[in-house]
Each structure stands twice: as structure tokens, then as C-alpha cells.
Amino acid sequence: MHPSNGEARKYFNSVHPHFSAESRNMRLKLCTDGFNPFGSFVAPYYCWPVILTVYNLPPGMCMRLKFMFLSMVIPGSSSPGQNIDICLRSLIDELTQLWSSGTLTYDISRKHNFVMRAALLLIIKNVNYLGM
């Protein structure tokens, strides 16, 4: 079963009914994985894209590129390892603010503003890619 409609989401909805009552609140997945953009492990340079995926969509749409958002790219001569927390600090601060107080958002279909909140439901980080 896909996480967008799986048991974890059902449990989350039961624990946070106020959040779940607003269907326009965002449920997100954060994913990061490193790669060498030069295609060679001789060059000591890596990129770690950080991507947010929206889980409010049906399972067939969640993994389409147009619904994935590149939040940041962490460059470096090696993987960020345990220091990834430092790199992600500003993104985590924004997500914390979206969880706790939300942000005023315009709903074009209903033609009015509402306070949208966001929850990070899943984090995927490939730690084996570069021998970490």
C-alpha cells in the first residue's frame, strides 16, 4: 500500500484530527540522495538534492516529477553525513512553522484565504550510496 493512503496516514489522522479535518493541509515526504554530477568518482564533488513530495495526491500522481519540489541542493566534496542536519536547518524551521501556525494561503477554487498547515510524514535518506 502506498504511504499516501496507508496505515501510517490513517494513524496520523487519528492522532491529529484537527490537522486532518482540513483536507487542503499538506502531507509531505522529504527525500535526499547524493550523486556525482561528473559521472566519475575521480572528481571529489557531490550534490545532494533535497526533494519534497506531496502526499495529498493519489498514489499514481505522488511520484510524478511535476509534483516533486526541489527544496535545496547540498554541494560538497563528500556526503554531508551527520552534518546534514545543519544543511537542512532552514528547511526544518520552515516546516516547523508550517506545522505549528501554518501560513495564509489563497484557494483559487473557493476564492478565499485559509490557513494551510503542513506535516512531514516520511523522510528517506540514502546513507549507503557513498559508503556512509
Side-chain angles (χ1 to χ4, degrees):
M1 182 172 283
H2 194 270
S4 67
N5 60 2
E7 293 299 318
R9 181 176 175 155
K10 291 175 188 172
Y11 175 76
F12 179 85
N13 289 347
S14 69
V15 172
H16 303 286
H18 182 69
F19 181 90
S20 302
E22 175 56 74
S23 62
R24 297 172 292 185
N25 283 336
M26 302 299 293
R27 291 158 176 85
L28 305 169
K29 172 187 81 172
L30 185 139
C31 182
T32 184
D33 191 4
F35 70 95
N36 184 320
F38 303 111
S40 166
F41 288 105
V42 175
Y45 186 80
Y46 299 94
C47 289
W48 287 76
V50 178
I51 298 168
L52 284 173
T53 303
V54 178
Y55 272 168
N56 289 55
L57 302 169
M61 295 174 71
C62 284
M63 301 311 291
R64 290 189 186 163
L65 286 177
K66 65 182 176 181
F67 299 116
M68 294 181 185
F69 302 98
L70 180 64
S71 300
M72 68 175 61
V73 176
I74 304 169
S77 59
S78 64
S79 80
Q82 297 299 326
N83 294 330
I84 196 164
D85 293 346
I86 296 167
C87 299
L88 294 176
R89 181 78 257 160
S90 61
L91 177 61
I92 297 301
D93 289 345
E94 276 189 59
L95 290 171
T96 301
Q97 187 260 330
L98 284 171
W99 167 254
S100 59
S101 58
T103 188
L104 192 62
T105 306
Y106 184 72
D107 182 340
I108 195 163
S109 65
R110 298 181 187 174
K111 297 186 179 10
H112 70 85
N113 292 323
F114 73 103
V115 176
M116 182 191 71
R117 294 174 60 208
L120 189 59
L121 298 182
L122 187 62
I123 299 173
I124 299 174
K125 178 182 175 238
N126 188 345
V127 295
N128 294 321
Y129 184 76
L130 297 174
M132 291 174 48

